[in-house]
Amino acid sequence: MTQTQAARLMDGTALARRIVEDTARRAAELTDRTGTAPCLATVLVGEDPASVTYVRMKQNRCRKAGITSRHVALAATTTTDELVRTLRELSADPGVHGILLQHPVGDHIDERAAFEAIAPEKDVDGVTFASFATMSFGLPGFVSCTPGGIVRLLDEYGVDPAGKRAVVVGRSAILGKPVGMLLLARDATVTYCHSRTRDLSAAVREADIVVAAVGRPRLIRGQDIKPGAVVIDAGYNPGNVGDVDFDSAVERASLITPVPGGVGPMTIATLLEQTVTAAGRQLGV
Ligand code: NAP
């Protein structure tokens, strides 16, 4: 009789807690040595309730880690030019070490123009073209936070992407594309799937590492997971449901992230960590 062994869970909550503790230690040391606490500027356009909650959550987590935050609340009617000006001012302000523009910013704003107004050395959310390039080439710079968190989870669980077939489902600028580039920089053979992919199941069946970054509840089914594959579910859909059908995938994977408690907590941890790193570089420590 063959017996299936359920996958080991990749605990993002525990790893994120350790990263935040370490970040808080580094922030305190930096503040002691320079007399200046790391500072993250958060910029919010409009009052979308979900965005307000996200920004508040990030500010609270900053405070607990010894990072000060400066909040800039802009009216929903703010134009691209006004937003760009604000971001350039923050980029030039020596009292600000990291900048987070909460997005989406609203359809009337050119989001790319706004992102590009963030100085790369303060781009702790990893949204600029410059950050994408340094990340892709494996050079020093800041990574997009969720992809960066995913790679940290792989490291933590001893998964070396080199030589493995990685299938990334989703190609958004903040998640799918950058996570694929990070895996490529780690020598994985990367395939991107998206809404125009003809046979998603066939692609997923080939994968040693699957990253689901779609926003479609339970799109990836256990029957398509190669036995022993590593499954990273970045999806977060209403009702705490991921993009992977967890109950069937857990029976075939060797490692799998739960939703919630897998990828989610890693995003803010990476943001805080990169803010302290940015402050250290700017303060010359
Ligand atoms: P997005 O911008 O909407 O991108 C979704 C991607 O999925 C697109 O590339 C799209 O293809 C692709 N896609 C859509 N339907 C598909 C299908 N049936 N088969 C294959 N691919 C399909 O979403 P996102 O911002 O990347 O977010 C994706 C998920 O991750 C969401 O659930 C979001 O909540 C979650 N997320 C979590 C975190 C976190 O901190 N944990 C952070 C960010 C996002 P096209 O490019 O062809 O349209």
Coordinates of all heavy atoms in Angstrom, one line a residue, residues 104-183:
P104 N -2.8 50.3 -5.6 CA -2.9 51.2 -6.7 C -3.3 52.7 -6.3 O -3.9 52.9 -5.3 CB -4.1 50.6 -7.5 CG -4.9 49.8 -6.5 CD -3.9 49.3 -5.5
V105 N -2.9 53.6 -7.2 CA -3.0 55.0 -6.8 C -4.2 55.6 -7.5 O -4.5 56.8 -7.2 CB -1.8 55.8 -7.3 CG1 -0.6 55.6 -6.3 CG2 -1.4 55.5 -8.7
G106 N -5.0 54.9 -8.3 CA -6.1 55.5 -8.9 C -5.9 55.7 -10.4 O -4.7 56.0 -10.8
D107 N -6.9 55.4 -11.2 CA -6.8 55.4 -12.6 C -6.3 56.6 -13.3 O -5.7 56.6 -14.4 CB -8.1 54.9 -13.3 CG -8.4 53.5 -12.9 OD1 -7.5 52.8 -12.4 OD2 -9.6 53.1 -13.1
H108 N -6.6 57.8 -12.7 CA -6.3 59.1 -13.3 C -4.8 59.4 -13.1 O -4.3 60.4 -13.7 CB -7.1 60.2 -12.7 CG -6.8 60.5 -11.3 ND1 -7.1 59.6 -10.3 CD2 -6.2 61.6 -10.7 CE1 -6.7 60.2 -9.1 NE2 -6.2 61.3 -9.4
I109 N -4.1 58.6 -12.4 CA -2.6 58.9 -12.1 C -1.8 57.9 -12.9 O -2.1 56.7 -13.0 CB -2.3 58.8 -10.6 CG1 -2.9 60.0 -9.9 CG2 -0.8 58.7 -10.4 CD1 -2.7 60.0 -8.4
D110 N -0.7 58.4 -13.5 CA 0.3 57.6 -14.2 C 1.2 57.0 -13.1 O 2.1 57.6 -12.6 CB 1.1 58.5 -15.2 CG 2.2 57.7 -15.9 OD1 2.5 56.5 -15.5 OD2 2.7 58.3 -16.9
E111 N 0.9 55.7 -12.7 CA 1.5 55.1 -11.6 C 3.0 54.9 -11.9 O 3.9 55.1 -11.0 CB 0.9 53.7 -11.4 CG 1.4 53.0 -10.1 CD 0.6 51.8 -9.8 OE1 0.9 50.7 -10.4 OE2 -0.4 51.8 -9.1
R112 N 3.4 54.6 -13.1 CA 4.8 54.4 -13.5 C 5.6 55.7 -13.3 O 6.7 55.7 -12.7 CB 4.9 53.8 -14.9 CG 6.3 53.6 -15.4 CD 7.2 52.8 -14.5 NE 6.7 51.6 -13.9 CZ 7.3 50.9 -12.9 NH1 8.4 51.4 -12.4 NH2 6.8 49.8 -12.5
A113 N 5.0 56.8 -13.8 CA 5.7 58.1 -13.6 C 5.9 58.3 -12.1 O 6.9 58.8 -11.7 CB 4.8 59.2 -14.2
A114 N 4.9 58.0 -11.3 CA 5.0 58.2 -9.8 C 6.1 57.3 -9.3 O 7.0 57.8 -8.5 CB 3.7 57.9 -9.1
F115 N 6.1 56.1 -9.6 CA 7.2 55.2 -9.1 C 8.6 55.7 -9.5 O 9.5 55.7 -8.7 CB 7.0 53.7 -9.7 CG 5.9 52.9 -9.1 CD1 5.3 51.9 -9.8 CD2 5.4 53.2 -7.8 CE1 4.3 51.1 -9.2 CE2 4.4 52.4 -7.2 CZ 3.9 51.4 -7.9
E116 N 8.7 56.1 -10.7 CA 10.0 56.6 -11.2 C 10.5 57.8 -10.5 O 11.7 58.2 -10.7 CB 10.0 56.7 -12.7 CG 9.9 55.4 -13.4 CD 10.8 54.3 -13.0 OE1 12.0 54.5 -12.9 OE2 10.3 53.2 -12.6
A117 N 9.6 58.5 -9.8 CA 10.0 59.7 -9.0 C 10.6 59.4 -7.7 O 11.1 60.2 -7.0 CB 8.8 60.6 -8.8
I118 N 10.6 58.1 -7.4 CA 11.2 57.6 -6.1 C 12.7 57.3 -6.4 O 13.1 56.6 -7.3 CB 10.6 56.3 -5.6 CG1 9.1 56.6 -5.3 CG2 11.3 55.8 -4.4 CD1 8.3 55.4 -5.0
A119 N 13.6 58.0 -5.6 CA 15.0 57.7 -5.7 C 15.3 56.2 -5.5 O 14.9 55.7 -4.5 CB 15.8 58.6 -4.8
P120 N 16.1 55.6 -6.4 CA 16.4 54.2 -6.2 C 16.9 53.8 -4.8 O 16.6 52.8 -4.3 CB 17.4 53.9 -7.3 CG 17.1 54.9 -8.3 CD 16.7 56.1 -7.6
E121 N 17.8 54.7 -4.2 CA 18.3 54.4 -2.9 C 17.3 54.4 -1.8 O 17.6 54.0 -0.7 CB 19.6 55.3 -2.6 CG 19.3 56.7 -2.4 CD 19.3 57.5 -3.7 OE1 19.2 56.9 -4.8 OE2 19.4 58.8 -3.6
K122 N 16.1 55.0 -2.1 CA 15.0 55.0 -1.1 C 13.9 54.1 -1.5 O 12.8 54.1 -0.8 CB 14.5 56.4 -0.9 CG 15.6 57.4 -0.4 CD 15.1 58.7 0.0 CE 16.2 59.6 0.5 NZ 15.8 60.9 0.9
D123 N 14.1 53.3 -2.6 CA 13.0 52.5 -3.1 C 12.9 51.2 -2.4 O 13.1 50.1 -2.9 CB 13.2 52.3 -4.6 CG 12.1 51.4 -5.2 OD1 11.0 51.4 -4.7 OD2 12.4 50.8 -6.3
V124 N 12.5 51.3 -1.1 CA 12.5 50.1 -0.2 C 11.3 49.1 -0.5 O 11.3 48.0 0.0 CB 12.5 50.5 1.3 CG1 13.8 51.2 1.6 CG2 11.3 51.4 1.6
D125 N 10.4 49.6 -1.4 CA 9.3 48.7 -1.8 C 9.7 48.0 -3.2 O 8.9 47.2 -3.7 CB 8.0 49.5 -1.9 CG 6.8 48.6 -1.9 OD1 6.8 47.5 -1.3 OD2 5.7 49.1 -2.4
G126 N 10.8 48.4 -3.7 CA 11.3 47.8 -5.0 C 10.4 47.9 -6.2 O 10.2 47.0 -6.9
V127 N 9.9 49.2 -6.4 CA 8.9 49.4 -7.5 C 9.5 50.1 -8.7 O 8.9 50.1 -9.8 CB 7.7 50.2 -7.0 CG1 6.9 49.4 -6.0 CG2 8.1 51.5 -6.4
T128 N 10.7 50.6 -8.6 CA 11.3 51.4 -9.7 C 11.9 50.5 -10.8 O 12.3 49.3 -10.5 CB 12.3 52.4 -9.3 OG1 13.4 51.6 -8.7 CG2 11.8 53.4 -8.3
F129 N 12.1 51.0 -12.0 CA 12.8 50.2 -13.0 C 14.2 49.9 -12.6 O 14.7 48.8 -12.8 CB 12.8 51.1 -14.3 CG 11.6 51.1 -15.1 CD1 11.3 52.2 -15.9 CD2 10.7 50.1 -15.1 CE1 10.1 52.3 -16.7 CE2 9.5 50.1 -15.9 CZ 9.2 51.2 -16.6
A130 N 14.8 50.9 -11.9 CA 16.2 50.7 -11.4 C 16.3 49.5 -10.5 O 17.2 48.7 -10.6 CB 16.7 52.0 -10.7
S131 N 15.3 49.4 -9.6 CA 15.3 48.3 -8.6 C 15.1 47.0 -9.4 O 15.7 45.9 -9.1 CB 14.2 48.5 -7.6 OG 14.5 49.6 -6.8
F132 N 14.2 47.0 -10.4 CA 13.9 45.8 -11.1 C 15.2 45.3 -11.8 O 15.5 44.1 -11.9 CB 12.8 46.0 -12.2 CG 12.3 44.7 -12.8 CD1 11.4 43.9 -12.2 CD2 12.9 44.3 -14.0 CE1 10.9 42.8 -12.8 CE2 12.5 43.1 -14.6 CZ 11.5 42.3 -14.0
A133 N 16.0 46.3 -12.4 CA 17.2 45.9 -13.1 C 18.3 45.4 -12.1 O 18.8 44.3 -12.4 CB 17.7 47.2 -13.8
T134 N 18.5 46.0 -11.0 CA 19.5 45.5 -10.1 C 19.1 44.2 -9.6 O 20.0 43.3 -9.5 CB 19.8 46.5 -8.9 OG1 18.5 46.9 -8.3 CG2 20.5 47.8 -9.4
M135 N 17.9 44.0 -9.3 CA 17.4 42.7 -8.8 C 17.6 41.6 -9.8 O 18.1 40.5 -9.5 CB 15.9 42.8 -8.5 CG 15.2 41.6 -7.9 SD 13.5 41.8 -8.1 CE 13.3 41.8 -9.9
S136 N 17.3 41.9 -11.1 CA 17.4 40.9 -12.1 C 18.9 40.5 -12.4 O 19.2 39.4 -12.7 CB 16.8 41.5 -13.5 OG 15.5 41.8 -13.3
F137 N 19.8 41.5 -12.2 CA 21.2 41.2 -12.4 C 21.9 40.7 -11.1 O 23.1 40.5 -11.2 CB 21.9 42.5 -13.0 CG 21.6 42.7 -14.4 CD1 20.6 43.6 -14.8 CD2 22.4 42.1 -15.4 CE1 20.3 43.8 -16.1 CE2 22.1 42.3 -16.8 CZ 21.1 43.1 -17.1
G138 N 21.1 40.6 -10.1 CA 21.7 40.2 -8.8 C 22.7 41.2 -8.2 O 23.6 40.8 -7.5
L139 N 22.4 42.5 -8.5 CA 23.3 43.5 -8.0 C 22.7 44.1 -6.7 O 21.5 44.0 -6.5 CB 23.5 44.6 -9.1 CG 24.2 44.2 -10.3 CD1 24.1 45.2 -11.4 CD2 25.7 43.8 -10.0
P140 N 23.5 44.9 -5.9 CA 22.9 45.5 -4.7 C 21.8 46.5 -5.1 O 22.0 47.2 -6.0 CB 24.1 46.2 -4.1 CG 25.3 45.6 -4.7 CD 24.9 45.1 -6.1
G141 N 20.8 46.4 -4.4 CA 19.6 47.3 -4.6 C 18.5 46.8 -3.8 O 18.7 45.9 -3.0
F142 N 17.3 47.3 -4.0 CA 16.2 46.8 -3.2 C 15.2 45.9 -4.1 O 15.0 46.2 -5.3 CB 15.4 47.9 -2.6 CG 16.3 48.6 -1.6 CD1 16.7 49.9 -1.8 CD2 16.7 48.0 -0.5 CE1 17.5 50.6 -0.9 CE2 17.5 48.6 0.5 CZ 17.9 49.9 0.2
V143 N 14.8 44.8 -3.5 CA 13.9 43.9 -4.3 C 12.4 44.3 -4.0 O 12.1 44.9 -2.9 CB 14.1 42.4 -3.9 CG1 15.5 42.0 -4.3 CG2 13.9 42.2 -2.4
S144 N 11.6 43.9 -4.9 CA 10.1 44.0 -4.6 C 9.9 43.1 -3.4 O 10.4 42.0 -3.3 CB 9.5 43.5 -5.9 OG 8.1 43.7 -5.9
C145 N 9.1 43.6 -2.5 CA 9.0 43.0 -1.1 C 8.5 41.6 -1.1 O 9.0 40.7 -0.5 CB 8.2 43.9 -0.2 SG 9.1 45.4 0.2
T146 N 7.3 41.3 -1.8 CA 6.8 39.9 -1.8 C 7.7 38.9 -2.4 O 8.0 37.9 -1.9 CB 5.4 39.9 -2.4 OG1 4.6 40.9 -1.7 CG2 4.7 38.6 -2.2
P147 N 8.2 39.2 -3.6 CA 9.2 38.3 -4.2 C 10.5 38.1 -3.4 O 10.9 37.0 -3.2 CB 9.6 39.0 -5.5 CG 8.4 39.8 -5.9 CD 7.9 40.3 -4.6
G148 N 10.9 39.2 -2.8 CA 12.1 39.1 -1.9 C 11.8 38.1 -0.7 O 12.6 37.3 -0.3
G149 N 10.6 38.3 -0.2 CA 10.2 37.4 0.9 C 10.0 36.0 0.5 O 10.4 35.1 1.3
I150 N 9.6 35.7 -0.7 CA 9.5 34.4 -1.2 C 10.8 33.7 -1.3 O 11.0 32.5 -0.8 CB 8.7 34.4 -2.6 CG1 7.3 34.7 -2.4 CG2 8.9 33.0 -3.3 CD1 6.5 34.9 -3.7
V151 N 11.8 34.4 -1.8 CA 13.1 33.8 -1.9 C 13.7 33.5 -0.5 O 14.4 32.5 -0.3 CB 14.0 34.7 -2.8 CG1 15.5 34.3 -2.8 CG2 13.5 34.7 -4.2
R152 N 13.5 34.4 0.4 CA 13.9 34.2 1.8 C 13.3 32.9 2.4 O 14.0 32.2 3.1 CB 13.6 35.4 2.7 CG 14.4 36.6 2.5 CD 15.8 36.3 3.0 NE 15.9 36.4 4.5 CZ 16.0 37.5 5.1 NH1 16.1 38.7 4.5 NH2 16.1 37.5 6.4
L153 N 12.0 32.7 2.1 CA 11.4 31.5 2.5 C 12.0 30.2 1.9 O 12.3 29.3 2.6 CB 9.9 31.5 2.1 CG 8.9 32.0 3.2 CD1 7.5 32.1 2.6 CD2 8.9 31.1 4.4
L154 N 12.4 30.3 0.6 CA 13.0 29.2 0.0 C 14.4 28.9 0.7 O 14.7 27.8 1.0 CB 13.2 29.5 -1.5 CG 12.0 29.5 -2.4 CD1 12.3 29.9 -3.8 CD2 11.2 28.2 -2.4
D155 N 15.1 30.0 0.9 CA 16.4 29.9 1.6 C 16.3 29.2 3.0 O 17.0 28.3 3.3 CB 17.1 31.3 1.8 CG 17.6 31.8 0.5 OD1 17.8 31.1 -0.5 OD2 17.9 33.0 0.5
E156 N 15.3 29.7 3.7 CA 15.0 29.2 5.1 C 14.8 27.7 5.1 O 15.2 27.0 6.0 CB 13.9 30.0 5.6 CG 13.4 29.5 7.0 CD 14.4 30.0 8.1 OE1 15.3 30.8 7.8 OE2 14.2 29.5 9.3
Y157 N 14.1 27.2 4.0 CA 13.8 25.8 4.0 C 14.7 25.0 3.2 O 14.5 23.9 2.8 CB 12.3 25.6 3.6 CG 11.4 26.0 4.8 CD1 11.0 27.3 5.0 CD2 11.0 25.0 5.7 CE1 10.2 27.6 6.1 CE2 10.2 25.3 6.8 CZ 9.8 26.7 7.0 OH 9.1 27.0 8.1
G158 N 15.9 25.6 2.9 CA 17.0 24.9 2.2 C 16.6 24.5 0.7 O 17.2 23.5 0.2
V159 N 15.8 25.3 0.1 CA 15.5 25.0 -1.3 C 16.4 25.8 -2.2 O 16.3 27.1 -2.2 CB 14.0 25.4 -1.6 CG1 13.7 25.1 -3.1 CG2 13.0 24.7 -0.7
D160 N 17.3 25.2 -2.9 CA 18.2 25.9 -3.8 C 17.6 25.8 -5.2 O 17.5 24.7 -5.8 CB 19.6 25.2 -3.8 CG 20.5 25.8 -4.8 OD1 20.2 26.8 -5.4 OD2 21.7 25.3 -4.9
P161 N 17.2 26.9 -5.8 CA 16.5 26.9 -7.1 C 17.5 26.5 -8.3 O 17.0 26.1 -9.3 CB 16.1 28.4 -7.3 CG 16.2 29.0 -6.0 CD 17.3 28.3 -5.2
A162 N 18.8 26.5 -8.1 CA 19.7 26.2 -9.2 C 19.4 24.9 -9.8 O 19.3 23.8 -9.2 CB 21.1 26.2 -8.6
G163 N 19.2 25.0 -11.2 CA 19.0 23.8 -12.0 C 17.5 23.3 -11.9 O 17.2 22.4 -12.7
K164 N 16.7 23.9 -11.1 CA 15.3 23.4 -10.9 C 14.4 24.1 -12.0 O 14.7 25.2 -12.4 CB 14.8 23.7 -9.5 CG 15.6 23.0 -8.5 CD 14.8 22.5 -7.3 CE 15.5 21.5 -6.4 NZ 16.6 22.2 -5.7
R165 N 13.3 23.4 -12.3 CA 12.3 24.1 -13.2 C 11.3 24.8 -12.3 O 10.7 24.2 -11.5 CB 11.6 23.0 -13.9 CG 12.4 22.3 -15.0 CD 11.6 21.4 -15.8 NE 10.8 22.3 -16.8 CZ 11.0 22.3 -18.1 NH1 11.9 21.5 -18.6 NH2 10.3 23.1 -18.9
A166 N 11.3 26.1 -12.4 CA 10.4 27.0 -11.7 C 9.3 27.5 -12.6 O 9.6 28.0 -13.7 CB 11.1 28.1 -11.0
V167 N 8.0 27.3 -12.2 CA 6.9 27.8 -12.9 C 6.2 28.9 -12.1 O 5.8 28.7 -11.0 CB 5.9 26.7 -13.3 CG1 4.7 27.3 -13.9 CG2 6.6 25.8 -14.3
V168 N 6.2 30.1 -12.7 CA 5.6 31.2 -12.0 C 4.3 31.5 -12.7 O 4.3 31.8 -13.9 CB 6.5 32.5 -12.1 CG1 5.8 33.7 -11.4 CG2 7.9 32.2 -11.4
V169 N 3.2 31.4 -12.0 CA 1.9 31.7 -12.6 C 1.5 33.1 -12.2 O 1.2 33.4 -11.0 CB 0.8 30.7 -12.1 CG1 -0.4 30.8 -13.0 CG2 1.4 29.3 -12.2
G170 N 1.5 34.0 -13.2 CA 1.3 35.4 -12.9 C 2.5 36.2 -13.4 O 3.6 35.7 -13.2
R171 N 2.3 37.4 -13.9 CA 3.4 38.2 -14.4 C 3.2 39.7 -14.1 O 3.6 40.6 -14.9 CB 3.6 38.0 -15.9 CG 2.3 38.4 -16.7 CD 2.5 38.4 -18.2 NE 1.2 38.4 -18.9 CZ 1.0 38.4 -20.2 NH1 2.1 38.4 -20.9 NH2 -0.2 38.5 -20.7
S172 N 2.6 40.0 -12.9 CA 2.5 41.4 -12.6 C 3.8 42.0 -12.3 O 4.8 41.3 -11.9 CB 1.5 41.5 -11.4 OG 2.2 41.1 -10.2
A173 N 3.9 43.3 -12.3 CA 5.1 44.1 -12.2 C 5.7 43.9 -10.7 O 6.9 44.0 -10.5 CB 5.0 45.5 -12.5
I174 N 4.8 43.8 -9.8 CA 5.2 43.8 -8.4 C 5.4 42.4 -7.8 O 6.0 42.2 -6.8 CB 4.2 44.5 -7.4 CG1 2.8 43.8 -7.6 CG2 4.2 46.0 -7.6 CD1 2.1 43.7 -6.3
L175 N 4.9 41.4 -8.6 CA 5.0 40.0 -8.0 C 5.5 38.9 -9.0 O 6.6 38.4 -8.8 CB 3.6 39.7 -7.4 CG 3.4 38.3 -6.7 CD1 4.5 38.1 -5.7 CD2 2.0 38.3 -6.0
G176 N 4.7 38.6 -10.0 CA 5.1 37.5 -10.9 C 6.4 37.8 -11.6 O 7.3 36.9 -11.5
K177 N 6.5 38.9 -12.3 CA 7.8 39.2 -13.0 C 9.0 39.2 -12.1 O 10.0 38.5 -12.4 CB 7.6 40.5 -13.8 CG 7.2 40.3 -15.2 CD 7.4 41.6 -16.0 CE 6.5 41.5 -17.3 NZ 5.5 42.4 -17.3
P178 N 9.0 40.0 -11.0 CA 10.2 40.0 -10.2 C 10.5 38.7 -9.6 O 11.7 38.3 -9.5 CB 9.9 41.1 -9.2 CG 8.5 41.5 -9.3 CD 8.0 41.0 -10.6
V179 N 9.5 37.9 -9.2 CA 9.9 36.6 -8.5 C 10.5 35.7 -9.5 O 11.5 35.0 -9.2 CB 8.7 36.0 -7.8 CG1 7.8 35.2 -8.7 CG2 9.2 35.1 -6.7
G180 N 10.1 35.8 -10.8 CA 10.7 34.9 -11.8 C 12.2 35.4 -12.0 O 13.1 34.5 -12.2
M181 N 12.4 36.7 -12.0 CA 13.8 37.2 -12.2 C 14.7 36.8 -11.0 O 15.9 36.5 -11.3 CB 13.8 38.7 -12.4 CG 13.0 39.2 -13.6 SD 13.4 38.3 -15.2 CE 15.1 39.0 -15.5
L182 N 14.1 36.8 -9.8 CA 15.0 36.4 -8.7 C 15.3 34.9 -8.8 O 16.4 34.5 -8.5 CB 14.2 36.7 -7.4 CG 14.1 38.1 -6.9 CD1 13.3 38.3 -5.7 CD2 15.6 38.7 -6.6
L183 N 14.4 34.1 -9.2 CA 14.6 32.7 -9.4 C 15.6 32.4 -10.5 O 16.5 31.6 -10.4 CB 13.3 31.9 -9.6 CG 12.4 31.9 -8.4 CD1 11.0 31.4 -8.8 CD2 13.0 31.0 -7.3

